[in-house]
Amino acid sequence: MSIAGATVNWNGTTASTLSSLDLSSGTLQGSGDVSVTGTTTWSGGTIAAGGSFQSGTVAFTGAGTMLLDGKALTLTGTSNTWSGNGTIDLANAAVLTNNGTLTVSGDGTMTDLPSSFFVNNGLFRKNGGAGTTSVTGSLLDVT
């Protein structure tokens, strides 16, 4: 599935499974749980509302702003990446949980706004980039 500039409402009582997701702009929102078995490529746009979002592999890419708004996103893969100088914003009780490996090769910024958290149960590795990657706000490193 590819979302570029549209709003997709994902609601339902049973979890939905996608083979891949490319979110470059626009919004994926709704109360339903979403599981991506392959790769989620996220270069801009918003994942919002209740429910959970789980992906085997996530590639945060580019210089855009990626907003996780009130949703739980769990990284389960061992090859998640964050490249480019983009910004990951967590808002409205959003929780980004790394249960695998997240390798950062750019110089982006992650901002946790009030009531939101980045939870690291795995490996968060800075490997490249010319400068600094900033993680501000509430970081829970439980490894």
Side-chain angles (χ1 to χ4, degrees), residues 2 11 26 29 41 45 48 51 64 68 74-75 78 91-92 106 109 111-112 125:
S2 181
N11 298 304
Q29 67 184 16
T41 303
L68 184 63
T74 303
L75 310 178
T78 58
N92 298 314
T109 300
T111 303
D112 300 347
R125 175 181 27 220

Side-chain angles (χ1 to χ4, degrees), residues 6-94:
T7 297
V8 176
N9 292 303
W10 209 279
N11 298 304
T13 56
T14 58
S16 298
T17 302
L18 301 173
S19 59
S20 65
L21 175 66
D22 182 4
L23 178 59
S24 60
S25 63
T27 303
L28 173 63
Q29 67 184 16
S31 60
D33 294 336
V34 177
S35 177
V36 179
T37 57
T39 299
T40 297
T41 303
W42 191 3
S43 58
T46 301
I47 296 176
S52 66
F53 186 93
Q54 182 171 310
S55 184
T57 301
V58 176
F60 301 100
T61 65
T65 298
M66 296 149 277
L67 172 62
L68 184 63
D69 188 1
K71 199 152 189 94
L73 169 57
T74 303
L75 310 178
T76 59
T78 58
S79 57
N80 300 295
T81 59
W82 179 12
S83 61
N85 297 327
T87 300
I88 301 171
D89 287 334
L90 309 178
N92 298 314

Side-chain angles (χ1 to χ4, degrees), residues 90-109:
L90 309 178
N92 298 314
V95 178
L96 174 59
T97 302
N98 176 34
N99 286 335
T101 299
L102 177 56
T103 302
V104 181
S105 62
D107 300 323
T109 300

